[in-house]
Amino acid sequence: YPENALETIQYVSDSIAAMFEVAVAQTKDGKLVLMHDNAIDRTTDGNGLVKHLSYSELQQYHLVDDFGNVTDFQIPLFSDVLKWCKTNNIVLTVDITRGTPEKLVIDAIKAQQAEDISIIITYDVAQAESAFALAPELLLSVSARNHTEFDRLLETDIPTENMLAFTGT
């Protein structure tokens, strides 16, 4: 099963209780899709930058697994993933790829009424503050890899109840 595929989430959730990290990118025509990389070269049988391809163009390609095998699965719309996860009470940690508007992703979460199953991944205090300003009801994954980062987070107006600390790998 390939990364960032709805079928992968469905398969794993049938076997174990899990939270899933997904990455969201924006296509040329403004659609939000699951895609970790800026380009589709590593994860599909196609090539090119997500931001230069429309959603219909992406649909001509198939996702590949970790071993490079082409699967029958295609790049899913973020809204479809949210809808399925909301229906099945599956928690997502949402990584917003560089260049994708944070507000657009948060608006998509709100449109599916998926705030209770979504956690926004942030990488610094400014991004955490921005996400909190857009959606104070969401849980945020915040980087707290050292005392300095942790102290900066505590100095913000973000309630600690809204923070899930990421301490690094």
Side-chain angles (χ1 to χ4, degrees):
Y1 284 84
E3 66 181 68
N4 283 304
L6 178 55
E7 293 84 359
T8 304
I9 295 170
Q10 292 168 336
Y11 175 75
V12 172
S13 67
D14 283 345
S15 305
I16 61 171
M19 290 175 48
F20 296 88
E21 187 265 344
V22 296
V24 179
Q26 186 178 21
T27 63
K28 177 173 72 174
D29 55 345
K31 304 283 187 189
L32 295 176
V33 296
L34 295 198
M35 182 57 59
H36 181 269
D37 301 352
N38 291 327
I40 64 169
D41 304 41
R42 180 182 66 84
T43 58
T44 76
D45 58 352
N47 58 51
L49 296 175
V50 176
K51 68 181 181 180
H52 293 157
L53 298 165
S54 69
Y55 181 66
S56 63
E57 289 171 321
L58 289 176
Q59 290 305 285
Q60 61 188 305
Y61 305 114
H62 290 86
L63 293 165
V64 298
D65 65 17
D66 288 342
F67 303 102
N69 301 309
V70 178
T71 69
D72 291 332
F73 311 129
Q74 294 179 300
I75 299 167
L77 287 169
F78 182 50
S79 59
D80 291 342
V81 173
L82 283 170
K83 189 179 303 179
W84 189 88
C85 289
K86 175 70 177 171
T87 299
N88 293 281
N89 201 31
I90 303 297
V91 176
L92 295 174
T93 57
V94 181
D95 190 0
I96 303 169
T97 59
R98 187 172 289 130
T100 301
E102 187 178 53
K103 182 179 182 338
L104 192 61
V105 174
I106 289 172
D107 287 348
I109 291 168
K110 290 178 178 182
Q112 294 297 326
Q113 299 178 338
E115 296 94 334
D116 59 333
I117 57 109
S118 301
I119 302 166
I120 299 293
I121 297 172
T122 64
Y123 292 96
D124 56 42
V125 173
Q127 192 178 27
E129 288 180 313
S130 171
F132 179 71
L134 290 168
E137 68 280 7
L138 283 176
L139 186 60
L140 306 175
S141 171
V142 295
S143 292
R145 295 166 294 183
N146 55 52
H147 288 293
T148 303
E149 286 182 348
F150 182 69
D151 290 341
R152 265 192 244 136
L153 287 164
L154 292 178
E155 292 168 2
T156 69
D157 292 331
I158 305 170
T160 55
E161 303 83 52
N162 287 56
M163 292 190 236
L164 176 65
F166 176 75
T167 57
T169 55

